[in-house]
Amino acid sequence: MTLTWQQFHALEDLVLRFWACVDETAPIEGPELFTADGALVIESFRAEGQAALARYFTARRALSAERGRLTRHLCTNLRRLPGAGVRLAATITVFSGSGARPVALGPPSSLADFIFDCVETAAGWRLAGVTGALIFAGTDTPDLNKAAAAARGETT
């Protein structure tokens, strides 16, 4: 499938809205960005389906509020990958910290490669899958075991 510039722009917007949701600069809309059976997979963490995704995004916001943690995910090198379907890749650089704003700026807390599998639906483009692989992880990188428990509806 060849993408028009309008389609690529819509896909870019979808990916950037996902990160805005993660960074809590957008309303909780994370699950709505995915297909009904969409999945978010980062290393050992996996949330699949709208209910698990909703639990994950809600728990993530609660934990961030509890810790006073702020994040910003910078999405760079967004590009289409060859092959069947619509698959995008990006490099994600994360800055994070805790406390009152403005938080002291330190080095990035992590850097990861992400793949976004996208499908066009009657309601527009949606994420069928988001897969991340950490390349560099700092001391403020979240505990993925806690994230997985939250996605399953467990309290830790």
Side-chain angles (χ1 to χ4, degrees):
M1 170 184 187
T2 301
L3 294 176
T4 66
W5 68 267
Q6 295 97 333
Q7 289 170 316
F8 186 81
H9 179 66
L11 290 162
E12 177 184 45
D13 181 66
L14 175 65
V15 169
L16 295 179
R17 284 188 297 128
F18 169 79
W19 291 117
C21 181
V22 170
D23 286 334
E24 302 174 26
T25 61
I28 296 177
E29 62 178 31
E32 291 82 16
L33 299 175
F34 286 82
T35 59
D37 59 349
L40 173 60
V41 179
I42 306 169
E43 302 290 336
S44 62
F45 166 76
R46 181 178 189 88
E48 188 170 358
Q50 299 257 326
L53 288 164
R55 285 190 299 270
Y56 163 72
F57 282 109
T58 299
R60 187 182 195 293
R61 284 184 182 239
L63 184 59
S64 291
E66 177 184 308
R67 292 179 55 200
R69 184 171 187 260
L70 299 169
T71 61
R72 289 299 181 269
H73 291 71
L74 305 181
C75 180
T76 57
N77 302 328
L78 185 65
R79 64 213 176 271
R80 171 127 190 244
L81 296 175
V86 177
R87 180 172 254 205
L88 304 175
T91 302
I92 307 302
T93 306
V94 184
F95 289 88
S96 62
S98 297
R101 292 172 60 173
V103 174
L105 182 62
S109 60
S110 61
L111 185 130
D113 290 332
F114 270 78
I115 303 292
F116 303 87
D117 290 300
C118 306
V119 295
E120 193 169 19
T121 71
W125 289 97
R126 295 292 181 262
L127 298 165
V130 175
T131 306
L134 289 168
I135 306 301
F136 300 102
T139 58
D140 197 36
T141 301
D143 182 340
L144 295 174
N145 291 324
K146 287 184 180 179
R152 291 188 302 268
E154 301 169 4
T155 57
T156 56

